[in-house]
Amino acid sequence: MSDKKSVSAFRVLKSSIIEIKNDPLMYSIFLFPVYLLSLISFSYDDFIIVNNQDFEFYKYSSNSYLIGLLYALVESYIFAIIAVSIHNKIIKRNTTLKLFSIGIIIYAVFYLANHAEFLGYLIYNNLTISFAVIINLALGLLWMIFYITSFLWLLYLPNISVNDKKSFFYIFKNSYGARLTIIVQAVYLIPIFLIPYLILTLLGGIKFGIIFTVPFIFVLAVTMLSHTYLEWQELERNTAEKNK
């Protein structure tokens, strides 16, 4: 019986890299649409303005914001399908592709929140100033709470993705053994992202660096979350056995 009391961040990282190495074809399929969407959105950011950092960003037309919103919704949906597929592949060893599920909806909302700045400008551009300020302040507060507390409930994402039927509050209450490791994993991902990003940025500019590093980090992060969930399940079983 294992005496393990917490999930090992290093073991999760190692297992995730091995997972990707052992199934390059499947991960190439996962990565392709992410790279394609990143390439399109950053290369044509005057048309798809979601990632545009222009200081006159707010002056774009309503049609531009509509195109940006449609893109953000499509991107979030596709990213959600990929994330749910990775969770099912690793946790349940199920490679069936799902196009709709509660997990996909929740993941899509999670990723759409990454476009908070764009959504804020969209609201500001299409509503009266006073109403837009109120909505943006409310959404900004929700966004802060959402991300600041995410390490407390992040394991709910793989749980709902594989339909394990543990409630949100069960995850919140019982995932203490995996919470610190999620923060440590985020620290691990920083140099994994920064080193290739800086090299590629020097070679081809900021957009070039983002296009060719962020998609891999996204897929790696989801894979690590899957293995964190597996390790947490083992920790739960060990704890249950000790309490018998």
Side-chain angles (χ1 to χ4, degrees):
M1 185 184 303
S2 174
D3 293 325
K4 181 180 63 173
K5 295 182 179 179
S6 62
V7 174
S8 167
F10 180 76
R11 182 163 53 245
V12 166
L13 176 60
K14 181 180 178 181
S15 299
S16 300
I17 292 173
I18 292 173
E19 187 86 39
I20 295 172
K21 180 182 176 182
N22 288 344
D23 200 347
L25 177 59
M26 182 66 73
Y27 274 92
S28 295
I29 294 172
F30 290 147
L31 278 166
F32 176 75
V34 187
Y35 274 115
L36 181 62
L37 287 170
S38 297
L39 181 63
I40 292 172
S41 64
F42 279 97
S43 298
Y44 301 98
D45 62 355
D46 279 329
F47 177 68
I48 303 172
I49 61 174
V50 171
N51 297 310
N52 196 312
Q53 300 299 314
D54 194 324
F55 68 95
E56 293 186 340
F57 186 33
Y58 66 92
K59 292 185 178 180
Y60 281 102
S61 68
S62 295
N63 285 338
S64 294
Y65 280 100
L66 177 60
I67 292 170
L69 178 61
L70 290 174
Y71 169 82
L73 292 171
V74 170
E75 179 194 76
S76 298
Y77 174 66
I78 292 175
F79 279 26
I81 290 174
I82 293 169
V84 169
S85 296
I86 291 174
H87 288 320
N88 277 276
K89 174 188 180 297
I90 295 172
I91 298 169
K92 296 296 186 181
R93 294 300 165 186
N94 179 4
T95 55
T96 302
L97 181 66
K98 294 183 179 180
L99 298 179
F100 180 80
S101 69
I102 297 299
I104 288 173
I105 294 174
I106 292 174
Y107 246 119
V109 172
F110 184 81
Y111 286 121
L112 187 61
N114 289 316
H115 293 301
E117 182 180 7
F118 165 75
L119 295 174
Y121 278 120
L122 183 149
I123 292 169
Y124 179 79
N125 189 69
N126 291 281
L127 297 175
T128 61
I129 293 178
S130 57
F131 194 37
V133 168
I134 293 171
I135 292 178
N136 278 336
L137 285 174
L139 290 177
L141 179 62
L142 287 174
W143 184 89
M144 288 177 61
I145 295 172
F146 185 70
Y147 278 98
I148 290 173
T149 64
S150 62
F151 77 101
L152 297 173
W153 52 262
L154 201 58
L155 287 183
Y156 184 67
L157 293 176
N159 169 76
I160 196 70
S161 296
V162 301
N163 198 27
D164 263 356
K165 300 187 184 303
K166 293 183 178 68
S167 71
F168 176 89
F169 293 104
Y170 180 90
I171 299 289
F172 184 88
K173 180 180 177 182
N174 295 284
S175 62
Y176 52 87
R179 288 174 186 167
L180 179 59
T181 189
I182 290 173
I183 298 174
V184 175
Q185 287 173 42
V187 174
Y188 283 169
L189 286 174
I190 292 173
I192 295 174
F193 164 74
L194 275 181
I195 294 172
Y197 168 74
L198 291 173
I199 294 172
L200 290 171
T201 297
L202 289 173
L203 294 174
I206 293 175
K207 291 181 181 179
F208 186 75
I210 293 175
I211 290 169
F212 288 100
T213 53
V214 170
F216 176 77
I217 294 299
F218 158 68
V219 170
L220 176 60
V222 175
T223 301
M224 291 173 68
L225 187 58
S226 298
H227 280 282
T228 302
Y229 188 78
L230 285 175
E231 293 273 345
W232 173 68
Q233 285 185 318
E234 182 182 343
L235 180 63
E236 287 277 282
R237 287 192 294 269
N238 292 339
T239 303
E241 289 178 7
K242 287 181 179 181
N243 292 333
K244 285 183 179 180

